[in-house]
């Protein structure tokens, strides 16, 4: 009894320590989000308002149905990037998936408080991500345009390449041919190549006096051909609605333009559904807030992923597939917000096989990979969306694993993830290292949405491991040059390398570069997956699941 009491007491202490740590991480997330939402800052917001204009976030909030659920894509895009240029909060563009007149849409709004809405490299990448989500899910897309165009000092990184600025207009054309509704509202400046985006949409609105669209502004026209003309006459609302016919609707102000979009969307017909299974949602029986105490402070510590799953799925119930086999991966059928899902999750506890062997938690073994491959195939056959819960350090190494065919089994799992035709959703809970990131549906494997918890780390390996490897290389190099390597020097170099690497494994580093779509409060996970599956339900599956030469 005394031992069990002490064990429980120790568990409670660890739970409380974990809870404090994770709530501090969450508090940090909220503070960063609050800062990001200020865009270019309060002074620029006030200047924007003085022109009679709403900010990008105000426009989106007005457009989306009140009290409906929405999610923001790429809030941390550009985080701590472009310091020499004064920064680019949220990549200078706000992207949300939400509902307009009860129809799910994706909305893209330039933030003119950030460098007048100019396009940085990350701005182009974020716009392309929004279009990718629209294409994959056949979601209507609304563009709220207010941009000065390409940020000229960085034009070489924005203009010429395949995944740069021009790809957006190519996508406009492809999306139109696919029957995906595109609506644009010109609510500010829209110049040069950027002018093609709204006009390649199905319908275009322009706000009187504040909206303008032209290939070249008045100064450039004067310089190029000597013509003197003001911007309003050149490309304002009256010009394009009554003379050129370029735009379809003239709005008196921002709200009038947004109300017109609401009316257009409200008259859209229904869509063909993929038919993913959904019943009435039930909240988890286990308290979701326990997650804060279950995720360990140290990324190297063990925890039981079953307990996390119980706090994410409806009624805390799931049907486990091959429960006694390949125990470092959990595969199970469950429901999230009523939607049927197949869950593939890394088990972070050390587990024991039936042969009495111990397997490390968070590592993918041959039997785990084999099980996951079969489960993914089953979910594809049954048309069940997949949810990957990542806390993975990689595949098992060593002679025993190599002789057992870990490469072959790992390749089969990667093949199954790659060729999966059902929508995939990835949640990075903790570690996301090396090839484990790939097998568990990392960014390169086309998850419909990929998010990270504040506890996540994303890299080839942990900061500690990388620092040790790089230290040995650096040490050998310096010793070869005849330098003496003291203990103090070794420690200094190790800390320097680890600090640099740790900053790169941060979830904020990944989110800044759009390797993930968001960093979220763990309690928002159910909403993200539910909204994601609802979006995916717009796009019927058009091809069969086939693993090619690597058939199981």
């Amino acid at each position: 009894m005394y031992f069990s009491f002490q064990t429980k007491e120790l568990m409670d202490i660890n739970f409380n320590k974990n809870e404090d740590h994770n709530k501090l991480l969450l508090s940090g997330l909220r503070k960063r989000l609050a800062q990001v939402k200020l865009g270019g800052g309060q002074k620029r917001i006030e200047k924007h308002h003085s022109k009679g204009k709403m900010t990008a976030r105000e426009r989106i909030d007005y457009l989306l149905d009140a009290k409906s659920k929405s999610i923001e894509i790429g809030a941390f895009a550009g985080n701590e990037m472009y310091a020499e240029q004064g920064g680019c909060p949220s990549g200078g563009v706000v992207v949300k998936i939400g509902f307009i007149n009860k129809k799910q849409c994706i909305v893209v709004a330039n933030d003119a408080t950030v460098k007048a809405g100019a396009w940085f490299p990350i701005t182009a990448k974020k716009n392309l991500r929004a279009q990718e989500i629209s294409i994959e899910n056949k979601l209507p897309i609304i563009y709220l345009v207010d941009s000065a165009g390409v940020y000229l000092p960085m034009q070489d990184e924005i203009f010429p390449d395949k995944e740069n600025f021009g790809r957006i207009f190519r996508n406009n054309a492809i999306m139109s041919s696919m029957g995906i509704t595109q609506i644009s509202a010109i609510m500010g400046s829209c110049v040069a190549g950027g002018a093609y985006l709204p006009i390649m949409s199905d319908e275009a609105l322009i706000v009187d006096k504040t909206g303008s669209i032209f290939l070249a502004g008045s100064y450039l026209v004067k310089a190029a051909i000597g013509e003197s003309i003001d911007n309003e006459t050149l490309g304002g609302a009256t010009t394009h609605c009554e003379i050129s016919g370029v735009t379809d609707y003239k709005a008196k102000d921002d709200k009038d333009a947004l109300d017109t979009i609401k009316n257009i969307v409200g008259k859209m017909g229904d869509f063909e559904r993929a038919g993913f299974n959904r019943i009435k949602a039930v909240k988890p029986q286990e308290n979701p807030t326990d997650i804060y105490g279950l995720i360990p402070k140290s990324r190297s510590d063990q925890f039981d992923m079953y307990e996390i799953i119980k706090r994410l799925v409806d009624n805390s119930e799931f049907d486990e597939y091959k429960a006694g086999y390949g125990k470092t991966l959990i595969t199970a059928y469950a429901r999230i917000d009523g939607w049927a899902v197949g869950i593939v999750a890394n088990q972070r506890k050390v587990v024991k096989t039936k042969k009495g062997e111990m397997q490390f938690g968070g590592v993918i073994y041959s039997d785990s990979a084999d099980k996951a491959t079969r489960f993914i195939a089953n979910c594809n056959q049954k048309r069940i969306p997949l949810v990957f819960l990542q806390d993975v350090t990689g595949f098992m190494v060593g002679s025993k694993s190599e002789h057992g065919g870990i490469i072959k089994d790992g390749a089969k799992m990667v093949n199954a993830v790659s060729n999966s035709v059902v929508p995939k959703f990835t949640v990075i809970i903790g570690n996301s290292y090396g090839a484990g990131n790939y097998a568990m549906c990392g960014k390169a494997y086309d998850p419909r949405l990929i998010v990270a918890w504040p506890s996540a780390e994303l890299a080839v390996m942990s900061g500690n491991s990388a620092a040790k490897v790089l230290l040995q290389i650096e040490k050998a190099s310096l010793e070869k040059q005849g330098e003496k390597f003291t203990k103090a020097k070794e420690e200094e170099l190790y800390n320097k390398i680890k600090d640099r690497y740790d900053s790169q494994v941060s979830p904020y580093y990944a989110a800044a570069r759009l390797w993930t779509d968001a960093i979220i409060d763990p309690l928002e996970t159910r909403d993200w997956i539910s909204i994601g599956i609802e979006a995916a339900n717009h796009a019927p599956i058009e091809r069969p699941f086939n693993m090619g030469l690597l058939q199981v």
Side-chain angles (χ1 to χ4, degrees):
M1 288 293 290
Y2 178 72
F3 175 77
S4 64
F5 171 78
Q6 280 213 327
T7 303
K8 183 180 184 307
E9 188 180 58
L10 186 60
M11 286 173 64
D12 288 344
I13 290 169
N14 286 335
F15 185 96
N16 292 339
K17 285 181 178 178
N18 293 338
E19 187 176 44
D20 289 345
H21 173 73
N22 287 307
K23 284 188 174 179
L24 276 173
L25 291 180
L26 184 58
S27 175
L29 170 63
R30 287 172 178 158
K31 285 177 183 175
R32 285 175 181 246
L33 276 173
Q35 186 62 40
V36 157
K37 288 178 180 179
L38 289 174
Q42 196 59 47
K43 285 185 179 179
R44 289 183 184 172
I45 290 172
E46 288 167 7
K47 187 177 179 181
H48 199 73
H49 286 162
S50 71
K51 299 174 184 176
K53 297 165 70 174
M54 303 164 75
T55 66
R57 292 182 182 279
E58 288 167 347
R59 288 166 176 168
I60 293 177
D61 288 345
Y62 183 85
L63 188 58
L64 297 181
D65 294 346
K67 296 182 180 177
S68 66
K69 288 182 178 177
S70 65
I71 55 176
E72 182 173 351
I73 305 295
F76 287 110
N79 180 64
E80 296 182 353
M81 296 168 66
Y82 313 118
E84 290 180 8
Q85 292 77 24
C88 187
S90 279
V93 62
V94 183
V95 177
K96 284 192 178 183
I97 300 174
F99 295 85
I100 302 170
N101 262 328
K102 297 183 179 178
K103 289 188 170 60
Q104 196 176 32
C105 302
I106 185 163
V107 186
V108 181
N110 298 113
D111 186 351
T113 71
V114 179
K115 290 285 191 294
W119 288 57
F120 283 67
I122 198 67
T123 316
K125 187 173 183 179
K126 186 169 174 179
N127 275 268
L128 288 170
R129 175 61 179 144
Q131 289 184 322
E132 179 183 41
I133 291 170
S134 175
I135 291 167
E136 286 178 332
N137 300 290
K138 296 195 169 142
L139 273 187
I141 187 166
I142 316 297
Y143 306 102
L144 306 180
V145 184
D146 193 346
S147 170
V150 164
Y151 183 67
L152 291 176
M154 302 186 77
Q155 64 84 27
D156 60 320
E157 298 179 48
I158 305 165
F159 169 70
D161 210 345
K162 181 179 177 180
E163 299 301 329
N164 286 172
F165 191 61
R167 187 75 172 184
I168 286 148
F169 317 128
R170 175 265 187 193
N171 285 351
N172 286 142
I174 297 298
M175 292 160 76
S176 183
S177 73
M178 293 173 68
I180 296 170
T181 298
Q182 301 176 83
I183 301 168
S184 289
I186 301 154
M187 309 181 83
S189 180
C190 185
V191 298
Y196 287 106
L197 185 146
I199 308 312
M200 292 186 75
S201 300
D202 304 325
E203 295 181 89
L205 305 83
I206 186 167
V207 179
D208 196 20
K209 300 296 185 284
T210 57
S212 60
I213 178 169
F214 31 64
L215 293 181
S218 56
Y219 292 124
L220 186 54
V221 167
K222 177 71 174 174
I225 63 172
E227 181 184 1
S228 295
I229 188 170
D230 64 89
N231 281 341
E232 183 63 26
T233 307
L234 181 66
T238 299
T239 296
H240 286 309
C241 286
E242 299 176 20
I243 300 173
S244 72
V246 165
T247 51
D248 307 306
Y249 306 90
K250 184 200 281 190
K252 63 182 181 182
D253 56 26
D254 281 9
K255 286 187 177 180
D256 187 35
L258 298 170
D259 286 335
T260 302
I261 293 172
K262 289 181 184 183
N263 293 334
I264 294 169
V265 173
K267 293 177 179 65
M268 285 167 52
D270 207 353
F271 58 91
E272 185 184 354
R273 287 168 170 77
F276 301 123
N277 186 295
R278 192 182 198 185
I279 61 173
K280 186 178 178 181
V282 180
K283 290 182 179 179
Q285 283 283 340
E286 300 289 343
N287 186 354
T289 61
D290 289 346
I291 289 171
Y292 303 130
L294 292 168
I295 298 294
K297 181 178 178 180
S298 169
R299 295 301 332 120
S300 60
D301 286 353
Q302 298 177 49
F303 68 96
D304 193 346
M305 186 64 82
Y306 286 104
E307 296 302 320
I308 302 296
I309 294 171
K310 286 176 188 176
R311 287 153 179 86
L312 294 177
V313 301
D314 288 15
N315 210 35
S316 300
E317 292 179 341
F318 53 89
D319 301 309
E320 191 171 2
Y321 172 81
K322 287 185 177 288
Y325 178 70
K327 290 184 177 182
T328 64
L329 271 180
I330 300 166
T331 48
Y333 300 106
R335 289 190 182 275
I336 292 178
D337 200 34
W339 294 103
V341 296
I343 294 173
V344 182
N346 302 110
Q347 172 58 298
R348 279 305 310 272
K349 286 179 69 177
V350 172
V351 297
K352 199 173 185 179
T353 68
K354 284 195 173 179
K355 295 178 181 178
E357 297 169 331
M358 304 305 290
Q359 292 185 339
F360 297 105
V363 179
I364 301 174
Y365 289 77
S366 284
D367 53 357
S368 309
D370 175 63
K371 177 172 77 169
T373 302
R374 292 170 182 271
F375 181 72
I376 290 165
N378 282 343
C379 287
N380 274 270
Q381 188 172 25
K382 296 179 178 72
R383 296 295 192 262
I384 299 174
L386 285 159
V387 175
F388 292 83
L389 304 179
Q390 279 198 17
D391 196 338
V392 60
T393 53
F395 284 89
M396 191 57 190
V397 296
S399 60
K400 187 173 181 180
S401 291
E402 298 294 357
H403 296 171
I406 185 66
I407 295 174
K408 170 176 60 70
D409 291 320
K412 284 182 179 179
M413 182 178 173
V414 170
N415 189 297
V417 172
S418 303
N419 285 300
S420 180
V421 295
V422 296
K424 299 167 291 194
F425 302 89
T426 302
V427 182
I428 305 175
I429 289 174
N431 303 326
S432 181
Y433 298 152
N437 168 277
Y438 302 158
M440 291 295 292
C441 197
K443 177 72 171 181
Y445 292 81
D446 299 322
R448 296 293 175 96
L449 295 171
I450 177 169
V451 297
W453 289 359
S455 50
E457 290 189 357
L458 181 64
V460 171
M461 61 182 75
S462 71
N464 185 51
S465 299
K468 287 178 180 176
V469 172
L470 293 171
L471 177 66
Q472 292 308 310
I473 295 169
E474 187 74 18
K475 185 179 178 182
S477 174
L478 290 172
E479 286 177 344
K480 194 177 281 187
Q481 294 169 31
E483 283 197 37
K484 217 172 183 183
F485 215 74
T486 64
K487 188 73 177 172
K489 176 80 172 173
E490 184 174 335
E491 192 174 317
E492 180 192 345
L493 191 55
Y494 170 82
N495 289 331
K496 184 180 176 182
I497 295 169
K498 187 175 183 300
D499 288 346
R500 185 178 72 241
Y501 205 87
D502 281 346
S503 70
Q504 294 177 358
V505 305
S506 160
Y508 294 97
Y509 190 91
R513 290 151 183 80
L514 290 173
W515 301 344
T516 60
D517 291 316
I519 305 170
I520 65 169
D521 180 343
L523 302 190
E524 296 172 346
T525 305
R526 282 170 55 85
D527 285 344
W528 271 78
I529 292 170
S530 178
I531 289 171
I533 298 176
E534 189 159 357
N537 208 31
H538 286 74
I541 295 169
E542 296 173 348
R543 64 181 177 88
F545 174 68
N546 187 334
M547 286 180 62
L549 293 175
L550 282 172
Q551 292 286 1
V552 180

